[in-house]
């Protein structure tokens, strides 16, 4: 077999392998998105400061809040009445207090 025929045979094998390859299945990357409004309260609610619930400082109250978790890290966003997403962020910087991990502040920037 000469080099031209060998090259053609290799090219044919590669092309057939590509065409006949099984379809790749999407892999689960560990991203989970779920509604979580039931975990949040507005600051003036009686049960907001019980260390069980999270407190949302948002002009939209505690409605339409969604959590997105990825391997133990969680992001939170809220849908406004037009359906746009707004981040609910934990306090940044140095905030001392027992409730610091329970506080989430509405970010007017949408994403």
């Amino acid at each position: 077999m000469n080099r031209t025929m060998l090259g053609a045979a290799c090219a044919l094998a590669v092309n057939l392998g590509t065409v006949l390859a099984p379809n790749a299945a999407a892999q689960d990357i560990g991203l989970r998105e779920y509604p979580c409004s039931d975990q949040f309260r507005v600051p003036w609610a009686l049960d907001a400061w019980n260390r069980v619930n999270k407190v949302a400082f948002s002009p939209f109250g505690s409605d339409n809040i969604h959590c997105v978790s990825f391997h133990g890290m969680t992001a939170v966003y809220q849908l406004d009445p037009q359906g746009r997403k707004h981040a609910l962020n934990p306090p940044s910087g140095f905030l001392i207090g027992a409730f610091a991990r329970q506080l989430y502040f509405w970010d007017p920037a949408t994403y």
Side-chain angles (χ1 to χ4, degrees):
M1 189 182 267
N2 65 26
R3 289 185 184 185
T4 305
M5 289 177 62
L6 183 59
C10 288
L12 179 62
V14 168
N15 288 335
L16 281 176
T18 303
V19 171
L20 299 176
N23 291 337
Q27 292 182 351
D28 182 12
I29 60 169
L31 186 67
R32 185 169 168 250
E33 188 168 340
Y34 54 94
C36 59
S37 293
D38 60 330
Q39 298 176 22
F40 288 84
R41 302 293 183 267
V42 292
W44 53 86
L46 294 176
D47 61 345
W49 304 100
N50 64 3
R51 292 188 183 189
V52 173
N53 297 310
K54 298 174 175 91
V55 181
F57 290 88
S58 167
F60 306 115
S62 60
D63 292 333
N64 291 317
I65 297 176
H66 299 266
C67 295
V68 181
S69 69
F70 180 71
H71 295 289
M73 298 178 60
T74 302
V76 181
Y77 70 86
Q78 185 175 36
L79 297 175
D80 67 15
Q82 289 77 34
R84 295 176 297 205
K85 293 180 180 180
H86 298 270
L88 286 177
N89 298 318
S92 60
F94 188 74
L95 182 65
I96 299 174
F99 296 104
R101 286 187 244 152
Q102 302 298 107
L103 306 178
Y104 286 81
F105 296 90
W106 180 75
D107 186 348
T110 59
Y111 63 93

